[in-house]
Structures are given as C-alpha cells and as structure tokens.
Amino acid sequence: MQGGRKLLCGAMRLFLRGSRLCLKQGHRRAPRRLRHLLSYIRLLLSSLCYNSLTNSELVMDCLFEPVFWLVDLLTRWFGVVFVCLVVVLTSSILMIAYFALLPLVLRTYSPIWIAWHICYGHWNLVMIVFHYYKATKTPPGYPPQRKFDVPSVSVCKKCIIPKPARTHHCGICNTCILKMDHHCPWLNNCVGHFNHRYFFSFCLSMTLGCVYCSISGRNLFVDAYNAVEHWKSLDVEKQGVPVTGVGLLIGILPPGSVTGQSYYQTSPPPYTFRDKMFHKSVIYMWVLTSTVALALGGLTLWHAVLISRGETSIERHINSKETKRLQKRGRVFRNPFSHGRLNNWKLFFGVEKRSHWLTRVLLPSSHAPYGDGLTWDFSPRRKDMMAI
C-alpha cells in the first residue's frame, strides 16, 4: 500500500515536471487555450495529492458523504415524530395504569401494598417526566464562536472554529457539541455536557418503571392471555356447520335444539366488551414494558459502564483505537478524564456531600454539571466531596 502510493506520487511529479518543461519550451508556439488546458490539468493533479495524509478512509468518507447527509436529514426531520411517539406510548401506559389497574389494586391489595405501589409509581413517574423534559429542552453546550483563550485540540472542518477537548461535530445539529456523547433521535437533541445527566437519569428511570410494570403485572398478563385464548376457543366452538331440518334425522342436531332449548347445561361466561378491553390492555402494557425494559436496560447498562470509565460513546471508540495503537509500541493508554469509578459517578451526578445522593440523585434536580465543558483540568481529589 505504501509502495503503491509512493509510486503514484512519483509518477505524478514526473508528469508535472514534464508538463512544466513543455510549457516553458513551447510557451511561444503553444496556443493560449492549450496552455490554459495544461495548467488546469496540472492544478487538478496537484489537488489529488496535495495532502500526504490522504488514505482509503478519507476517500470512503468522501464517497459516502451524500449517504451521511441523507441520514442526517431524515433523522433531523423524524426527531419530532420520535418524541411524539415517546409521549403517546408513555401516556397509553399511564391511562391503563390509572383507569384499569389502580381500581383493581385498591379493591384487592392490602393497605401496605397499596401505599407502596402508589408512592413508588408516582415517584418513578415524576423522575421520568422531569428528566425527559430537561433532556429535550436543555442545550447540550456549544463552544464559543468568537476567539477564546481556552486551549483547543483541533479545528472543526465544518464549523471552522477551534474545538476544545472532548468536543465533536454533530452532523444532524450542524454544530459542535461540548463533551458530545451522541445524537439521540428519541430526544430530538444531542447528548452533551449540560444534559448528559438528564439523559442517563431518564433512561434509568424509564428502565426501572418498565421493570416494575413487567414484574408486578406478570400474573395479570398470564390471566389475561388465558382469557383471550378461552375467547378464541369459544369462537371456534360457535362456528358450526349450518344444517337444515334433515340434520335431526341423521343425528347432527341434538333433539333439544328443535324446541329452542340450549345445548349447554350451563350458560357460557358473560364476557363483556369491558372485560375484553381490560385483558387486551393488560397484554399490551406487559408486552410493551417488557420489550422496552430489555432494550433500554441494555443501553442504560452500557452508559453506566462508560460513566464508570469517565468516557463518552465517541471517546470509547477513540480510546479503544488508541489503546491498540499504544499496545503495539509496548505502552499503556490512560484516560486523562477518568478519576476512578466512584469519583466519576460523583462528578457525573454533581455529588459534593452525602445529602446530595438524595437531593441530586434520588430526587429531581436541575443543578448544573461540573465545569463549563471547555476545560477539564480540575481534579476532584482536591475537593471536599472526596471525603464522602
């Protein structure tokens, strides 16, 4: 690969030297249009090998740029649809819980269990609504557009501004994001320095709520599923073969059916429309919450691992490549933004004293995160919060 690239560059240099020599020797004899054409060809060839860092990855990025642009455009437009979908699905579960399950709980459960379900359910609901609203409405953080004295690690080729550490460009938002983790279509917003805690707390609260609904509603789901299967069996039994009066002679119809008597000794159970809607609602709630608990639970667990390591989703990819590169040289990579697992969690949640585990973690809180997202030279080991 390296030899082929050097050979191609050498051939281009020889061609450029030859064309330059021909232009000098035939400046008087060559027509003006031909000279302009040769100059343009030389410029094109120079532009092809102007950068020694050009490789196959850069070429593939350029070729797939229209595809990336289309995906970013669709994600930007469908972000509102995803947010509405979250609101509609969550509202449907709440309607089933309040209008179908809560009356059943009040009739059948003991006072202690009633208090537990009401307190935990409403605490979980408040945590979900608060953190989802804050995650969607809080700006993730943007680097200043004007000149600033903060040291930068590179220059964004899209925004043409200096990028501080941990800052990355979002193609969907079309701007740079401080401590960017990813662009979440379910929030229609980027997850960055100022709303990362809201995003993780929402994922954790929603996962706990779905697990709570799935476990507490398992027996109801089994009963509802059996009831629906029983309805189907009754419908199959009712679908008989239509016969005429000859059926009595050949023994198809029972004798009592001619006089209008019922064939059943006991009448079938009276399943009303309300009963059917109740059972189908329970099945819908259990399937939806169980599916979301598995999918969102895996995502929450992955982000918990990243927070313990002091990384974001983008930094995890970068750090893994850097770790492999240094391993080949016999060196060990160390994440400069990690301060230990417990310290990383305290920095993430903004815990400075013991009471903050209650007021800032277990209860809704709109406090700002540590730092401004531009510099990361603070050391938590020098703060009082490390004595917790």
Side-chain angles (χ1 to χ4, degrees):
M1 190 70 180
Q2 296 288 343
R5 189 179 302 167
K6 292 181 179 180
L7 184 60
L8 179 61
C9 292
M12 287 184 178
R13 292 192 187 95
L14 290 177
F15 179 79
L16 293 177
R17 290 179 183 176
S19 61
R20 190 182 300 113
L21 184 61
C22 291
L23 285 176
K24 289 181 179 179
Q25 293 179 355
H27 180 73
R28 298 179 181 178
R29 293 175 296 178
R32 180 177 299 178
R33 292 184 178 179
L34 182 59
R35 293 201 304 268
H36 286 311
L37 180 60
L38 291 175
S39 300
Y40 182 67
I41 293 175
R42 191 177 73 177
L43 180 61
L44 287 179
L45 293 175
S46 299
S47 63
L48 291 176
C49 57
Y50 78 99
N51 192 349
S52 61
L53 299 178
T54 303
N55 52 19
S56 59
E57 294 182 359
L58 180 60
V59 174
M60 294 300 295
D61 289 342
C62 295
L63 292 177
F64 280 94
E65 188 67 25
V67 179
F68 297 151
W69 175 83
L70 181 61
V71 173
D72 293 345
L73 182 64
L74 293 177
T75 306
R76 188 182 302 115
W77 280 101
F78 279 96
V80 180
V81 178
F82 289 148
V83 172
C84 294
L85 188 61
V86 172
V87 175
V88 170
L89 293 179
T90 306
S91 301
S92 65
I93 298 299
L94 289 177
M95 291 180 62
I96 295 173
Y98 276 108
F99 294 103
L101 301 182
L102 184 59
L104 180 64
V105 170
L106 295 177
R107 290 196 309 266
T108 59
Y109 282 34
S110 63
I112 297 178
W113 281 108
I114 292 175
W116 153 254
H117 284 291
I118 291 178
C119 293
Y120 177 80
H122 285 86
W123 168 81
N124 206 338
L125 176 62
V126 170
M127 294 289 286
I128 291 173
V129 174
F130 173 81
H131 288 109
Y132 186 72
Y133 176 80
K134 296 293 288 185
T136 55
K137 292 299 182 180
T138 303
Y142 313 104
Q145 300 294 326
R146 298 181 180 180
K147 184 179 179 180
F148 55 94
D149 297 332
V150 177
S152 58
V153 295
S154 63
V155 176
C156 179
K157 63 180 181 180
K158 300 290 184 65
C159 301
I160 317 299
I161 60 173
K163 288 199 307 182
R166 314 186 80 176
T167 301
H168 302 278
H169 185 86
C170 177
I172 301 174
C173 298
N174 198 24
T175 184
C176 287
I177 305 298
L178 298 177
K179 192 194 169 186
M180 179 179 176
D181 188 90
H182 69 288
H183 184 93
C184 182
W186 300 101
L187 302 178
N188 195 24
N189 194 9
C190 262
V191 177
H193 177 64
F194 291 99
N195 64 346
H196 194 183
R197 179 177 63 88
Y198 298 131
F199 165 76
F200 178 78
S201 298
F202 162 72
C203 292
L204 182 61
S205 302
M206 181 64 79
T207 301
L208 292 177
C210 291
V211 171
Y212 163 73
C213 293
S214 179
I215 294 177
S216 60
R218 180 184 177 278
N219 294 332
L220 290 175
F221 166 75
V222 174
D223 295 339
Y225 182 80
N226 294 331
V228 172
E229 291 296 323
H230 183 57
W231 300 337
K232 292 181 181 180
S233 63
L234 291 179
D235 293 338
V236 172
E237 291 178 0
K238 291 180 181 178
Q239 293 177 359
V241 180
V243 295
T244 60
V246 187
L248 181 61
L249 299 177
I250 61 178
I252 296 179
L253 293 177
S257 62
V258 179
T259 60
Q261 299 177 2
S262 175
Y263 175 71
Y264 300 95
Q265 295 181 357
T266 57
S267 60
Y271 289 108
T272 63
F273 176 76
R274 183 176 181 179
D275 295 333
K276 293 183 177 180
M277 290 300 298
F278 173 80
H279 291 302
K280 291 182 178 179
S281 299
V282 170
I283 294 175
Y284 163 78
M285 182 199 71
W286 192 87
V287 172
L288 179 60
T289 54
S290 300
T291 305
V292 174
L294 291 176
L296 191 60
L299 179 65
T300 305
L301 182 61
W302 167 248
H303 279 278
V305 173
L306 294 179
I307 295 171
S308 300
R309 297 174 176 175
E311 297 176 332
T312 61
S313 299
I314 299 177
E315 292 172 353
R316 176 59 181 168
H317 176 68
I318 297 174
N319 293 346
S320 61
K321 294 177 63 176
E322 190 68 13
T323 301
K324 295 179 181 178
R325 187 183 68 86
L326 293 178
Q327 282 180 352
K328 295 180 180 179
R329 300 183 178 182
R331 301 171 61 185
V332 179
F333 172 78
R334 182 185 178 277
N335 183 14
F337 308 113
S338 177
H339 306 281
R341 294 182 179 180
L342 182 59
N343 295 333
N344 291 334
W345 281 104
K346 291 178 180 179
L347 286 173
F348 181 79
F349 283 116
V351 175
E352 298 178 353
K353 51 185 179 180
R354 287 189 176 89
S355 60
H356 285 171
W357 288 108
L358 173 64
T359 58
R360 293 188 173 185
V361 179
L362 298 180
L363 293 178
S365 177
S366 58
H367 65 279
Y370 276 104
D372 54 2
L374 299 175
T375 57
W376 304 93
D377 55 352
F378 55 88
S379 177
R381 295 179 177 83
R382 301 176 183 176
K383 295 182 179 290
D384 295 334
M385 73 173 194
M386 302 313 300
I388 296 177

